[in-house]
Amino acid sequence: LASALLVDAVPEKMGEQVADLGAGWGYLSAHVMTRKGVEAVHLVEANHMALECARRNVTDERAQFHWADATSWAPEHRMDTIVMNPPFHQGRASEPQIGQAFVASAARLLAPQGHLWMVANRHLPYETELKKHFVEVEEIGGDARFKLFHASRPQRRRR
């Protein structure tokens, strides 16, 4: 349900290089493949079984599968767009720091003019983390249970 809300919100043009962080079984990636101009979709997933499911569900030759932790994945080049429905728990307790780490990773992985499109449970506190890592952040919709965000212009931390 959350990912379906996000699919309806992402634009028709997403750029050439797109990453789906925490790709799961590939739902978001399959929809990204329908957008114009997409040359590669990188499905990044730490759960091996989920990634194997994604391989069966997303058969487009532009799909690239990465068995990796989205918070430490390091591609050869920056992404134009990132989509994500980050996990927010391990076990039963809500752990928003997992999703916050996904936000930081998205900022690190995006090109300077890159865009992040994300969906999250309404009760989780991602706004501060988004504003810390992106110049522009907007809540673009959702419903009673989920909120949708579009963030752009990732901030690079000066050393």
Side-chain angles (χ1 to χ4, degrees):
L1 184 62
S3 291
L5 284 171
L6 185 56
V7 163
D8 290 342
V10 295
E12 194 55 42
K13 287 192 71 171
M14 300 186 78
E16 296 175 356
Q17 298 291 322
V18 180
D20 181 352
L21 301 185
W25 56 268
Y27 179 85
L28 284 174
S29 294
H31 287 279
V32 167
M33 295 288 183
T34 69
R35 300 307 201 258
K36 291 178 177 54
V38 173
E39 290 183 3
V41 176
H42 301 268
L43 292 83
V44 183
E45 177 55 57
N47 180 307
H48 191 262
M49 186 59 74
L51 191 65
E52 288 306 308
C53 290
R55 284 183 200 278
R56 290 186 180 86
N57 291 321
V58 183
T59 56
D60 191 295
E61 68 277 355
R62 296 171 295 165
Q64 297 182 26
F65 300 90
H66 306 275
W67 183 22
D69 181 335
T71 64
S72 58
W73 179 60
E76 293 175 17
H77 43 76
R78 295 199 189 277
M79 299 291 123
D80 298 308
T81 301
I82 291 179
V83 295
M84 64 186 191
N85 178 359
F88 63 91
H89 55 77
Q90 293 181 338
R92 290 211 176 278
S94 196
E95 295 182 30
Q97 63 270 26
I98 299 169
Q100 291 166 347
F102 270 60
V103 168
S105 185
R108 176 179 57 82
L109 296 168
L110 281 166
Q113 299 304 317
H115 295 269
L116 168 64
W117 300 88
M118 97 179 247
V119 61
N121 288 55
R122 187 154 293 285
H123 71 279
L124 295 174
Y126 291 132
E127 290 80 357
T128 301
E129 199 68 14
L130 284 161
K131 288 178 179 149
K132 185 166 114 182
H133 292 284
F134 291 90
V135 174
E136 295 172 18
V137 176
E138 57 184 334
E139 187 172 333
I140 56 167
D143 63 16
R145 291 175 54 207
F146 304 104
K147 51 191 170 183
L148 298 171
F149 293 105
H150 171 231
S152 59
R153 299 185 45 221
Q155 298 193 52
R156 302 281 178 242
R157 293 279 171 244
R158 304 249 187 271
R159 293 194 178 169

PDB file of all heavy atoms in Angstrom, residues 118-130:
ATOM      1  N   MET A 118      10.407   9.272  -1.492  1.00  0.00           N
ATOM      2  CA  MET A 118      10.295   8.261  -0.452  1.00  0.00           C
ATOM      3  C   MET A 118       8.931   8.262   0.200  1.00  0.00           C
ATOM      4  O   MET A 118       8.237   9.271   0.229  1.00  0.00           O
ATOM      5  CB  MET A 118      11.416   8.429   0.566  1.00  0.00           C
ATOM      6  CG  MET A 118      11.119   9.183   1.827  1.00  0.00           C
ATOM      7  SD  MET A 118      12.542   9.261   2.949  1.00  0.00           S
ATOM      8  CE  MET A 118      11.946   8.283   4.288  1.00  0.00           C
ATOM      9  N   VAL A 119       8.560   7.093   0.703  1.00  0.00           N
ATOM     10  CA  VAL A 119       7.330   6.939   1.468  1.00  0.00           C
ATOM     11  C   VAL A 119       7.720   6.408   2.840  1.00  0.00           C
ATOM     12  O   VAL A 119       8.689   5.654   2.972  1.00  0.00           O
ATOM     13  CB  VAL A 119       6.324   5.994   0.754  1.00  0.00           C
ATOM     14  CG1 VAL A 119       6.888   4.587   0.570  1.00  0.00           C
ATOM     15  CG2 VAL A 119       5.000   5.950   1.488  1.00  0.00           C
ATOM     16  N   ALA A 120       6.984   6.843   3.862  1.00  0.00           N
ATOM     17  CA  ALA A 120       7.278   6.404   5.232  1.00  0.00           C
ATOM     18  C   ALA A 120       5.987   6.358   6.041  1.00  0.00           C
ATOM     19  O   ALA A 120       5.018   7.047   5.713  1.00  0.00           O
ATOM     20  CB  ALA A 120       8.253   7.377   5.890  1.00  0.00           C
ATOM     21  N   ASN A 121       6.013   5.565   7.081  1.00  0.00           N
ATOM     22  CA  ASN A 121       4.881   5.554   8.000  1.00  0.00           C
ATOM     23  C   ASN A 121       4.736   6.951   8.596  1.00  0.00           C
ATOM     24  O   ASN A 121       5.721   7.595   8.936  1.00  0.00           O
ATOM     25  CB  ASN A 121       5.098   4.529   9.108  1.00  0.00           C
ATOM     26  CG  ASN A 121       4.957   3.117   8.595  1.00  0.00           C
ATOM     27  OD1 ASN A 121       5.634   2.735   7.647  1.00  0.00           O
ATOM     28  ND2 ASN A 121       4.090   2.354   9.200  1.00  0.00           N
ATOM     29  N   ARG A 122       3.512   7.423   8.690  1.00  0.00           N
ATOM     30  CA  ARG A 122       3.240   8.791   9.119  1.00  0.00           C
ATOM     31  C   ARG A 122       3.856   9.124  10.480  1.00  0.00           C
ATOM     32  O   ARG A 122       4.307  10.236  10.710  1.00  0.00           O
ATOM     33  CB  ARG A 122       1.727   9.061   9.129  1.00  0.00           C
ATOM     34  CG  ARG A 122       1.435  10.526   9.410  1.00  0.00           C
ATOM     35  CD  ARG A 122       0.130  11.009   8.856  1.00  0.00           C
ATOM     36  NE  ARG A 122       0.007  11.068   7.413  1.00  0.00           N
ATOM     37  CZ  ARG A 122       0.579  11.993   6.632  1.00  0.00           C
ATOM     38  NH1 ARG A 122       1.362  12.915   7.131  1.00  0.00           N
ATOM     39  NH2 ARG A 122       0.358  11.989   5.332  1.00  0.00           N
ATOM     40  N   HIS A 123       3.902   8.154  11.386  1.00  0.00           N
ATOM     41  CA  HIS A 123       4.379   8.437  12.748  1.00  0.00           C
ATOM     42  C   HIS A 123       5.903   8.521  12.867  1.00  0.00           C
ATOM     43  O   HIS A 123       6.407   8.901  13.912  1.00  0.00           O
ATOM     44  CB  HIS A 123       3.848   7.372  13.722  1.00  0.00           C
ATOM     45  CG  HIS A 123       4.482   6.023  13.557  1.00  0.00           C
ATOM     46  ND1 HIS A 123       4.089   5.134  12.582  1.00  0.00           N
ATOM     47  CD2 HIS A 123       5.489   5.432  14.240  1.00  0.00           C
ATOM     48  CE1 HIS A 123       4.821   4.038  12.677  1.00  0.00           C
ATOM     49  NE2 HIS A 123       5.682   4.196  13.675  1.00  0.00           N
ATOM     50  N   LEU A 124       6.637   8.197  11.812  1.00  0.00           N
ATOM     51  CA  LEU A 124       8.097   8.188  11.920  1.00  0.00           C
ATOM     52  C   LEU A 124       8.694   9.562  11.614  1.00  0.00           C
ATOM     53  O   LEU A 124       8.275  10.242  10.690  1.00  0.00           O
ATOM     54  CB  LEU A 124       8.691   7.127  10.993  1.00  0.00           C
ATOM     55  CG  LEU A 124       8.303   5.701  11.372  1.00  0.00           C
ATOM     56  CD1 LEU A 124       8.808   4.716  10.324  1.00  0.00           C
ATOM     57  CD2 LEU A 124       8.834   5.334  12.746  1.00  0.00           C
ATOM     58  N   PRO A 125       9.700   9.962  12.400  1.00  0.00           N
ATOM     59  CA  PRO A 125      10.260  11.319  12.321  1.00  0.00           C
ATOM     60  C   PRO A 125      11.402  11.459  11.310  1.00  0.00           C
ATOM     61  O   PRO A 125      12.560  11.487  11.680  1.00  0.00           O
ATOM     62  CB  PRO A 125      10.784  11.529  13.747  1.00  0.00           C
ATOM     63  CG  PRO A 125      11.240  10.159  14.173  1.00  0.00           C
ATOM     64  CD  PRO A 125      10.279   9.195  13.521  1.00  0.00           C
ATOM     65  N   TYR A 126      11.071  11.593  10.028  1.00  0.00           N
ATOM     66  CA  TYR A 126      12.124  11.716   9.021  1.00  0.00           C
ATOM     67  C   TYR A 126      12.372  13.149   8.561  1.00  0.00           C
ATOM     68  O   TYR A 126      13.362  13.422   7.898  1.00  0.00           O
ATOM     69  CB  TYR A 126      11.791  10.858   7.796  1.00  0.00           C
ATOM     70  CG  TYR A 126      11.860   9.384   8.091  1.00  0.00           C
ATOM     71  CD1 TYR A 126      10.842   8.536   7.701  1.00  0.00           C
ATOM     72  CD2 TYR A 126      12.942   8.830   8.760  1.00  0.00           C
ATOM     73  CE1 TYR A 126      10.899   7.178   7.965  1.00  0.00           C
ATOM     74  CE2 TYR A 126      13.006   7.480   9.032  1.00  0.00           C
ATOM     75  CZ  TYR A 126      11.982   6.654   8.635  1.00  0.00           C
ATOM     76  OH  TYR A 126      12.047   5.323   8.899  1.00  0.00           O
ATOM     77  N   GLU A 127      11.479  14.073   8.885  1.00  0.00           N
ATOM     78  CA  GLU A 127      11.603  15.446   8.377  1.00  0.00           C
ATOM     79  C   GLU A 127      12.937  16.085   8.750  1.00  0.00           C
ATOM     80  O   GLU A 127      13.594  16.688   7.894  1.00  0.00           O
ATOM     81  CB  GLU A 127      10.442  16.309   8.881  1.00  0.00           C
ATOM     82  CG  GLU A 127       9.102  15.964   8.275  1.00  0.00           C
ATOM     83  CD  GLU A 127       8.399  14.745   8.903  1.00  0.00           C
ATOM     84  OE1 GLU A 127       8.965  14.087   9.798  1.00  0.00           O
ATOM     85  OE2 GLU A 127       7.272  14.460   8.470  1.00  0.00           O
ATOM     86  N   THR A 128      13.356  15.960   9.994  1.00  0.00           N
ATOM     87  CA  THR A 128      14.610  16.575  10.445  1.00  0.00           C
ATOM     88  C   THR A 128      15.798  16.006   9.684  1.00  0.00           C
ATOM     89  O   THR A 128      16.675  16.745   9.239  1.00  0.00           O
ATOM     90  CB  THR A 128      14.795  16.370  11.960  1.00  0.00           C
ATOM     91  OG1 THR A 128      13.675  16.958  12.628  1.00  0.00           O
ATOM     92  CG2 THR A 128      16.071  17.028  12.459  1.00  0.00           C
ATOM     93  N   GLU A 129      15.805  14.700   9.524  1.00  0.00           N
ATOM     94  CA  GLU A 129      16.911  14.046   8.813  1.00  0.00           C
ATOM     95  C   GLU A 129      16.933  14.472   7.343  1.00  0.00           C
ATOM     96  O   GLU A 129      17.995  14.750   6.790  1.00  0.00           O
ATOM     97  CB  GLU A 129      16.777  12.528   8.934  1.00  0.00           C
ATOM     98  CG  GLU A 129      18.052  11.782   8.642  1.00  0.00           C
ATOM     99  CD  GLU A 129      19.153  11.978   9.675  1.00  0.00           C
ATOM    100  OE1 GLU A 129      18.893  12.482  10.787  1.00  0.00           O
ATOM    101  OE2 GLU A 129      20.296  11.629   9.360  1.00  0.00           O
ATOM    102  N   LEU A 130      15.771  14.550   6.724  1.00  0.00           N
ATOM    103  CA  LEU A 130      15.701  15.005   5.329  1.00  0.00           C
ATOM    104  C   LEU A 130      16.241  16.428   5.203  1.00  0.00           C
ATOM    105  O   LEU A 130      17.036  16.721   4.305  1.00  0.00           O
ATOM    106  CB  LEU A 130      14.262  14.927   4.821  1.00  0.00           C
ATOM    107  CG  LEU A 130      13.761  13.524   4.478  1.00  0.00           C
ATOM    108  CD1 LEU A 130      12.240  13.491   4.432  1.00  0.00           C
ATOM    109  CD2 LEU A 130      14.352  13.044   3.160  1.00  0.00           C
TER     110      LEU A 130
END
